[in-house]
Amino acid sequence: MTTSPSTGPASALQGKGGTPEPEAGLRTSFAPSLLVALAALAAVAPLAMDAYLPAFNQMAADLGVSASTTQLTLTAFLVGVALGQLSIGVLSDRFGRRPLLLWGSALAFVAGVGTALAPSAAFLLIARFLQGLGGAAGMVLGRAVISDRSRGITAAQALSLVMSIQGVAPVIAPILGGALVGPVGWRGILGVVAAFQGILVLLVAAWVPETLPAQQRHDGGFGVLVDGTRALAKDHVFIRLIGINALVYALLTSYLSAAPFMLQGVLGMSTAAYTAVFAACGLTVTLTVAACGSLARRVSPERQIRLGLIGILVVDLVFAAVCLTRLTGPVSSTALTVATVALFIIHVMALGTCMGNLPAVALGRTGRWAGTGSALLGFVQFVFGGIASPLVGLTGQASGVAFGVTIVAVALAANVLGAFGVRDRGEKERLRAEAAARRAARLGRDQLPQADRDADDAVPASAGAVAEPATRAAEA
């Protein structure tokens, strides 16, 4: 992987006196071991959140509690993740990335063991909250580590890998849980998650270095969050990117929440077929995000975002039309089932065009506030996802109407934000000039004598100009 210069720094990237923060220490590549560790850190919280969902009924019966109490274990985890996104990201700007990653991963592991051994629902609720709090470290600081080390295309490619894993984890986790619930039960599922979190502690210790130098850290406590938020808020492009990222995540959670009851409750799909659809969607997200990262050299991340948002809106308008006209109640139609599955796959494919690019472009603008920026990015993302998730079920488990209305409204809002721009004014010209310079370098023109380059540049690039030297030679 190689990198281009940073996407234009905004005010948030500037230090005292308006001087841009130094770019010293940036890398043009990442060690494979570091990327593996960061991808695993990004996956652990979604895995812990969704893997045990197929075992809810078994858990309620075993602990002797109601279904709503069992649902609170998911809520407690989400609250822990949301608070962890803010607190851990901010603290890492003061104490560094590695210590917070180690302590957060260790907390998630210990709490994960507690969830598997929980003797009561109350104990389980506390353990799930702490598990979410610790698991948030991997999500928020993985992004910050990449932002510390890279900008531009390098960051986009690295974040594409990390975000593809984070995006596919909520899709794969219920499939894994469904396969394990029979043989090992809900405690076994949570035990597998805890074991994975224990492996992560070792990966962080072995493969994740400190990426925030001491001279770039901040003094102070949570006042840093206020200062960092105030500085980042001056960058309107960054604020728009955070909003768009949150809306894209809301579209993903809308799919995750609606797909089970739409495919099974409305279309009557079997459990095996439903699981296969989830697997196909997970594979689609992974391949799409990876492909976008590999195309970052030819198509800028900002342009991919704009095209992706338009694609999302077009797909979701068609999907909403199907939901409002054909999926208003239980139906039995092979053609409609195939069309709905295809729309789900295209929906997540369109989301994949933005899932890696949005964090890369947004965090590329944060400079010395990378930890705070990543915290805000994750916190707002989870808030929007939590709001959108219940909305898709407002018309009941045997109707897709609420899902159709929700995805169109969210996709439209994302496109409105995107229309205001995802890069600074004048940046197109700068990027165009950089692209021309890279093309010249590939052609070797930059190695020619200056007089030859000036003479070459003075020749107009037209058919007549190309023929003119030959004409002069003939006249001579």
Side-chain angles (χ1 to χ4, degrees):
M1 259 185 278
T2 58
T3 188
S4 65
S6 168
T7 47
S11 56
L13 286 176
Q14 295 180 348
K16 296 180 180 180
T19 304
E21 288 294 313
E23 297 294 318
L26 295 186
R27 302 292 192 272
T28 58
S29 64
F30 286 91
S33 58
L34 176 59
L35 288 177
V36 168
L38 295 181
L41 286 166
V44 67
L47 178 67
M49 181 168 58
D50 296 329
Y52 78 129
L53 296 182
F56 262 18
N57 291 336
Q58 185 186 94
M59 180 186 295
D62 189 24
L63 295 176
V65 297
S66 65
S68 59
T69 301
T70 306
Q71 183 69 31
L72 282 177
T73 62
L74 180 60
T75 303
F77 184 86
L78 289 173
V79 170
V81 170
L83 293 178
Q85 293 272 324
L86 283 179
S87 58
I88 293 174
V90 172
L91 290 173
S92 75
D93 279 342
R94 180 181 181 184
F95 298 107
R97 315 299 187 209
R98 182 177 164 85
L100 272 296
L101 270 174
L102 282 170
W103 283 106
S105 299
L107 174 61
F109 168 63
V110 173
V113 173
T115 64
L117 302 176
S120 65
F123 189 98
L124 180 60
L125 285 172
I126 295 172
R128 287 289 287 172
F129 170 78
L130 294 175
Q131 188 181 31
L133 189 68
M139 302 178 71
V140 66
L141 295 184
R143 296 189 297 261
V145 165
I146 292 174
S147 183
D148 289 339
R149 284 289 184 97
S150 62
R151 297 284 188 273
I153 294 175
T154 303
Q157 291 177 326
L159 276 167
S160 291
L161 172 63
V162 172
M163 294 304 295
S164 66
I165 300 299
Q166 184 175 324
V168 77
V171 181
I172 298 300
I175 301 173
L176 176 64
L180 293 177
V181 65
V184 299
W186 68 272
R187 293 186 185 275
I189 294 173
L190 293 178
V192 170
V193 173
F196 182 65
Q197 291 170 320
I199 294 173
L200 282 182
V201 177
L202 301 178
L203 292 184
V204 172
W207 289 346
V208 182
E210 179 57 66
T211 59
L212 184 66
Q215 63 271 21
Q216 295 182 18
R217 299 178 190 177
H218 306 284
D219 294 328
F222 282 94
V224 171
L225 176 62
V226 177
D227 295 338
T229 303
R230 186 184 298 117
L232 293 172
K234 296 176 183 177
D235 184 353
H236 295 168
V237 176
F238 175 76
I239 298 301
R240 284 197 293 273
L241 289 167
I242 278 189
I244 297 170
N245 180 74
L247 291 167
V248 168
Y249 186 76
L251 288 169
L252 177 65
T253 58
S254 296
Y255 150 72
L256 292 172
S257 299
F261 64 79
M262 283 182 62
L263 294 176
Q264 294 181 299
V266 178
L267 296 170
M269 189 175 286
S270 67
T271 301
Y274 157 76
T275 301
V277 172
F278 255 72
C281 289
L283 180 62
T284 300
V285 170
T286 303
L287 293 178
T288 303
V289 177
C292 289
S294 66
L295 289 173
R297 295 189 171 285
R298 298 182 180 180
V299 183
S300 70
E302 293 88 352
R303 183 167 178 79
Q304 289 188 31
I305 291 169
R306 291 294 297 120
L307 294 175
L309 290 176
I310 295 172
I312 289 169
L313 181 58
V314 171
V315 172
D316 288 351
L317 282 171
V318 175
F319 208 162
V322 173
C323 290
L324 294 173
T325 59
R326 304 300 302 275
L327 299 178
T328 58
V331 295
S332 179
S333 169
T334 301
L336 186 58
T337 299
V338 171
T340 302
V341 170
L343 285 169
F344 269 127
I345 292 175
I346 299 171
H347 172 77
V348 298
M349 180 186 296
L351 297 181
T353 61
C354 297
M355 288 172 59
N357 289 315
L358 281 166
V361 177
L363 295 178
R365 308 179 65 87
T366 56
R368 64 195 185 104
W369 299 105
T372 302
S374 184
L376 293 172
L377 186 81
F379 178 76
V380 176
Q381 170 181 299
F382 268 82
V383 169
F384 275 58
I387 293 173
S389 185
L391 293 179
V392 300
L394 290 179
T395 53
Q397 295 187 358
S399 170
V401 172
F403 173 73
V405 173
T406 300
I407 60 175
V408 167
V410 176
L412 184 60
N415 273 271
V416 169
L417 283 179
F420 285 96
V422 293
R423 55 160 58 109
D424 290 320
R425 290 182 180 180
E427 191 155 345
K428 285 185 178 180
E429 289 73 15
R430 183 182 67 81
L431 293 174
R432 191 176 296 116
E434 290 175 356
R438 288 194 296 271
R439 284 195 299 272
R442 287 198 299 270
L443 294 172
R445 292 181 67 251
D446 57 328
Q447 298 177 7
L448 294 174
Q450 183 64 42
D452 291 348
R453 290 206 305 270
D454 292 343
D456 206 17
D457 292 338
V459 178
S462 65
V466 171
E468 187 175 351
T471 303
R472 287 201 301 266
E475 290 174 353

